[in-house]
Amino acid sequence: VRPDIRQVAAEAGVSTATVSRVLSGRGPASADATLAVRAAAQRLHYLPSASASSLRTDRSMIIGVLVPNLANPVFLPFLRTVEHLAQRYGYSVIVADTQHSADIERSQLDRLSAQQIDGLIMAGRPRDLDHVHRLTEAGVVVTDPVTFTEQEGYPLRTIAAAAVEDACRHLASLGHRRLAFVARGHSRRRTSGDRWRLIESSCRGLGLEPKRVTLGGDGDDIEGDTSMAVTLDALVCSVEGPTVIWSNSHVLAPLVLEGLTVSAIDIPTDCSFVTFGDSLWARAYRPSISVISDDLDAAATALTSSVLHRLGVTGAGPPVDIPASVYRPRMSVGPAPLGSSPE
Amino acid sequence: VRPDIRQVAAEAGVSTATVSRVLSGRGPASADATLAVRAAAQRLHYLPSASASSLRTDRSMIIGVLVPNLANPVFLPFLRTVEHLAQRYGYSVIVADTQHSADIERSQLDRLSAQQIDGLIMAGRPRDLDHVHRLTEAGVVVTDPVTFTEQEGYPLRTIAAAAVEDACRHLASLGHRRLAFVARGHSRRRTSGDRWRLIESSCRGLGLEPKRVTLGGDGDDIEGDTSMAVTLDALVCSVEGPTVIWSNSHVLAPLVLEGLTVSAIDIPTDCSFVTFGDSLWARAYRPSISVISDDLDAAATALTSSVLHRLGVTGAGPPVDIPASVYRPRMSVGPAPLGSSPE
DNA sequence: TTGTAGGCGTTATCAA
DNA sequence: TTGATAACGCCTACAA
């Protein structure tokens, strides 16, 4: 049902080689031929078959994006930026979700590899380096935040470190002495560990005592339950309870906030609140929520342009750095409640 | 660098035909041959080239997803569901964003078509039917919410109609008489028009007078500005101002809420609030926000299983319906302020 | 049950 | 500048 290059050639009165040269822009072609071919292609609604052309040229014009959890909205701006940038240079984007599982990651990588992707952007850090390495050997340009930042001499830890330090310093200066970092339970993902270590080391020397609290549930997509309120209630109202709750993610935050509301814990009077991840809702919430904000658009731009650059795409501009995270203090952070810090 | 089917054949001591038969599962193969081929493939890390096999079989094992605006978070669960379902049956998913533009939609459809996608899922309604029709003629299985629901004898309007009617009835019963539906300005998208008509007809006979308010800005991704607060202030505080604000989308809602806060308009005392689109944040907000909730997971499941079904995938189960929208009344809707409805 | 061989639609080489 | 032609890697009718 679809026209092939021979039909276009016949329609235009030239050879298939000429059609190919004109439409792909590679190789010489006279003005006459160019016009005739263009017209014929238009008339027949001809689109060259990507499979055939990939087979021949060994370039699929497809970029893969591997995301640890498609349920997490932070990946949306990421994905969007990758897609827009890719599209601008004629690339298609295949999304794959690893669901935080090493096995799924492997099978997804295999599928992407079989699809002959030209480049791969990993939004999280790879679990199976051998597998990824094999892709690289197969000629796929692979980028992930860790290797990217290391390549550019920009260790990942420093990206978030300054923002976390800012936040801790701010909290300490307001008289806070005890902080609870809340994250989902026994998660297979590693970010919460990285973040915890960052908070831990930032608190050092500020008189802030951090504590790590693990909540039930194991995904970004799990609904809140009443046990959340109970846990938070017991936590905050205990004798040496924290005066700061720090949520591990933008997705977790509303659940925690709901739990605090149920327990009648007022923010920021009884307890200050901070979360990783900004959003319009965090800003609109009353009190507006203090956040550690990451520019995922910029991160996506950095990774994508790096890949395009290494794929030899001209005009994609030089790769840029991933900008550092920023602490945005808002109304949810206030002075520590009286009597909370024994003089 | 990548192994070839011939190398696997050599390694396993069989012919390429046998390798193909074993690995694709089509055609007979002895136990011996199967074992030998599997082992050889594993050893060489062989993955059949998708381009070559697509070219030969005319099936790319790729499904396209065309989304009107990747910046809108409502499409994330949608995308995730499509990806998971597709992945389970060996399909890859290419995402494309039309950015609400007919031109971009056309070029995206062309790209998808050139990629030889087997199926296409459109999250919004198509703008250029001719273009879509051409895809269908090319053998691509196309589904979008409108044709899907019409096919299943389930007109799209009825999906949201009952929920909107429920909401209007609830509001009217609380004494509200004037309602303002707020949406982004001169948008190229059509949803807000559909929704407006739904609200308009639902208000009829309930003594509720609907009004359509157009705010500046033109995308789901545009940040709020102070003009929002000014507009809302003038709107709500006018003599015959509305006592209900109804936001067109989950993305717009926090901007409107922020504007109301700035104008010191209290919810639900001064004004009730409803929005299309649910989320954890809407639930966590104080007061919790009443919403018209759509089950996009279910919609994605319906569309994807329909496509898989029509692609002849076995085990994908029969196509399911798209469930109707639901009105979830919460704390943001309260009695109309005194004196607002002249007896 | 297996192997041989031709062709899917495109592009790169090469001779004209 | 153009056209004929040989691959690219795989699948499948067909013959063995």
Side-chain angles (χ1 to χ4, degrees):
Chain A
V1 208
R2 299 174 67 115
D4 81 4
I5 199 173
R6 278 180 287 266
Q7 305 183 37
V8 180
E11 176 85 11
V14 296
S15 74
T16 60
T18 303
V19 175
S20 173
R21 277 189 296 252
V22 168
L23 295 181
S24 71
R26 288 185 279 251
S30 68
D32 278 2
T34 304
L35 237 57
V37 168
R38 289 253 164 77
Q42 199 105 54
R43 234 173 296 136
L44 300 178
H45 299 301
Y46 168 75
L47 295 169
S49 151
S51 332
S53 142
S54 308
L55 180 57
R56 187 59 234 250
T57 61
D58 214 27
R59 307 195 88 218
S60 62
M61 299 306 281
I62 296 179
I63 288 178
V65 179
L66 197 60
V67 169
N69 178 7
L70 255 186
N72 191 332
V74 302
F75 293 116
L76 199 60
F78 188 92
L79 194 59
R80 180 181 66 124
T81 302
V82 172
E83 200 275 341
H84 285 193
L85 222 45
Q87 180 208 317
R88 183 184 309 164
Y89 296 102
Y91 284 85
S92 294
V93 173
I94 290 189
V95 255
D97 179 3
T98 65
Q99 299 172 54
H100 287 297
S101 143
D103 279 343
I104 301 185
E105 179 184 296
R106 268 188 287 273
S107 75
Q108 293 282 39
L109 285 175
D110 283 347
R111 255 194 0 178
L112 292 170
S113 176
Q115 290 289 356
Q116 312 276 104
I117 54 169
D118 292 336
L120 173 65
I121 295 172
M122 306 194 64
R125 60 169 66 174
R127 305 196 157 242
D128 187 335
L129 282 173
D130 283 354
H131 236 71
V132 174
H133 195 226
R134 217 169 289 138
L135 275 190
T136 313
E137 280 175 348
V140 178
V141 173
V142 181
T143 301
D144 68 89
V146 177
T147 59
F148 175 87
T149 48
E150 278 168 1
Q151 268 171 19
E152 318 287 321
Y154 200 28
L156 189 62
R157 289 184 61 86
T158 68
I159 292 182
V164 171
E165 278 163 21
D166 285 351
C168 290
R169 212 173 300 124
H170 184 218
L171 291 165
S173 77
L174 288 169
H176 292 279
R177 292 294 169 260
R178 291 179 305 280
L179 171 161
F181 174 64
V182 293
R184 254 30 220 280
H186 317 294
S187 175
R188 283 157 307 193
R189 88 202 60 155
R190 300 187 193 157
T191 9
S192 91
D194 286 349
R195 288 176 173 166
W196 165 244
R197 278 188 292 281
L198 222 48
I199 290 175
E200 220 181 358
S201 69
S202 296
C203 287
R204 209 163 286 154
L206 288 172
L208 246 180
E209 181 195 327
K211 182 177 167 181
R212 189 179 191 179
V213 178
T214 292
L215 301 170
D218 187 19
D220 289 332
D221 43 353
I222 289 173
E223 296 284 318
D225 53 286
T226 49
S227 75
M228 168 81 72
V230 176
T231 311
L232 291 170
D233 198 35
L235 181 70
V236 177
C237 298
S238 60
V239 186
E240 292 280 285
T243 61
V244 179
I245 300 274
W246 190 318
S247 155
N248 180 39
S249 91
H250 165 62
V251 179
L252 184 56
L255 297 176
V256 175
L257 290 171
E258 214 180 340
L260 292 171
T261 303
V262 171
S263 304
I265 298 166
D266 187 71
I267 296 173
T269 316
D270 303 326
C271 188
S272 287
F273 187 86
V274 182
T275 182
F276 280 103
D278 200 1
S279 75
L280 292 175
W281 281 93
R283 220 178 69 186
Y285 198 86
R286 284 168 308 163
S288 54
I289 304 297
S290 301
V291 299
I292 304 289
S293 167
D294 275 306
D295 190 341
L296 284 152
D297 263 355
T301 304
L303 296 177
T304 310
S305 61
S306 160
V307 165
L308 290 173
H309 180 76
R310 286 155 64 201
L311 282 175
V313 174
T314 61
V320 283
D321 275 347
I322 296 181
S325 310
V326 174
Y327 169 56
R328 299 195 197 285
R330 299 208 182 104
M331 305 301 287
S332 70
V333 167
L338 291 179
S340 69
S341 62
E343 198 56 23
Chain B
V1 207
R2 297 174 68 113
D4 195 284
I5 198 174
R6 278 181 289 266
Q7 306 185 35
V8 180
E11 176 86 10
V14 295
S15 75
T16 60
T18 303
V19 174
S20 173
R21 276 189 293 251
V22 168
L23 296 181
S24 72
R26 286 186 283 253
S30 68
D32 279 2
T34 305
L35 237 57
V37 168
R38 289 253 165 78
Q42 200 105 52
R43 234 174 295 137
L44 301 178
H45 299 299
Y46 169 74
L47 295 169
S49 151
S51 335
S53 90
S54 308
L55 181 58
R56 187 56 234 260
T57 62
D58 216 24
R59 307 195 88 217
S60 62
M61 299 305 282
I62 295 179
I63 288 179
V65 179
L66 197 60
V67 166
N69 179 6
L70 254 186
N72 191 331
V74 302
F75 293 116
L76 199 59
F78 188 91
L79 194 58
R80 182 180 64 123
T81 303
V82 173
E83 202 274 341
H84 286 193
L85 223 43
Q87 181 207 315
R88 183 183 311 163
Y89 297 101
Y91 283 85
S92 294
V93 172
I94 291 189
V95 252
D97 178 4
T98 65
Q99 299 171 51
H100 287 295
S101 142
D103 280 344
I104 300 185
E105 178 183 296
R106 266 188 287 274
S107 73
Q108 293 282 40
L109 285 175
D110 283 347
R111 262 220 346 250
L112 292 171
S113 175
Q115 290 289 358
Q116 311 275 104
I117 53 168
D118 293 335
L120 173 64
I121 294 171
M122 306 193 66
R125 59 168 68 177
R127 305 196 157 243
D128 186 334
L129 282 174
D130 282 355
H131 237 70
V132 174
H133 194 226
R134 217 169 287 138
L135 275 190
T136 312
E137 280 175 348
V140 178
V141 173
V142 180
T143 302
D144 67 88
V146 178
T147 59
F148 175 86
T149 47
E150 277 168 1
Q151 268 170 19
E152 319 288 320
Y154 201 30
L156 188 63
R157 287 183 61 85
T158 68
I159 292 183
V164 171
E165 278 164 20
D166 286 351
C168 290
R169 211 172 301 124
H170 184 217
L171 290 164
S173 76
L174 288 168
H176 292 279
R177 293 293 169 262
R178 292 179 304 280
L179 171 161
F181 173 64
V182 294
R184 257 23 224 278
H186 317 296
S187 175
R188 285 156 305 192
R189 91 203 61 158
R190 300 183 195 160
T191 9
S192 91
D194 286 349
R195 289 175 172 168
W196 166 242
R197 276 187 294 282
L198 223 47
I199 290 174
E200 221 180 357
S201 69
S202 297
C203 288
R204 210 163 288 151
L206 289 170
L208 248 178
E209 183 193 326
K211 184 176 166 183
R212 189 179 189 178
V213 178
T214 293
L215 301 170
D218 189 16
D220 289 331
D221 44 353
I222 289 172
E223 297 283 320
D225 54 285
T226 49
S227 74
M228 168 80 71
V230 176
T231 310
L232 292 169
D233 199 34
L235 181 69
V236 177
C237 299
S238 60
V239 187
E240 293 280 284
T243 61
V244 180
I245 301 274
W246 191 319
S247 156
N248 180 39
S249 91
H250 165 62
V251 179
L252 183 57
L255 298 175
V256 174
L257 290 172
E258 214 179 340
L260 292 171
T261 303
V262 171
S263 304
I265 298 166
D266 187 72
I267 294 173
T269 316
D270 301 328
C271 188
S272 288
F273 187 84
V274 182
T275 183
F276 279 104
D278 200 359
S279 75
L280 292 174
W281 281 93
R283 222 177 68 184
Y285 198 86
R286 285 168 311 163
S288 53
I289 303 297
S290 302
V291 299
I292 302 289
S293 168
D294 275 305
D295 189 342
L296 284 152
D297 263 355
T301 304
L303 295 177
T304 310
S305 60
S306 161
V307 165
L308 289 174
H309 180 77
R310 286 155 66 200
L311 283 175
V313 174
T314 61
V320 283
D321 275 349
I322 296 181
S325 309
V326 174
Y327 168 56
R328 297 193 198 288
R330 298 205 183 106
M331 305 301 289
S332 70
V333 166
L338 292 178
S340 69
S341 61
E343 195 55 22

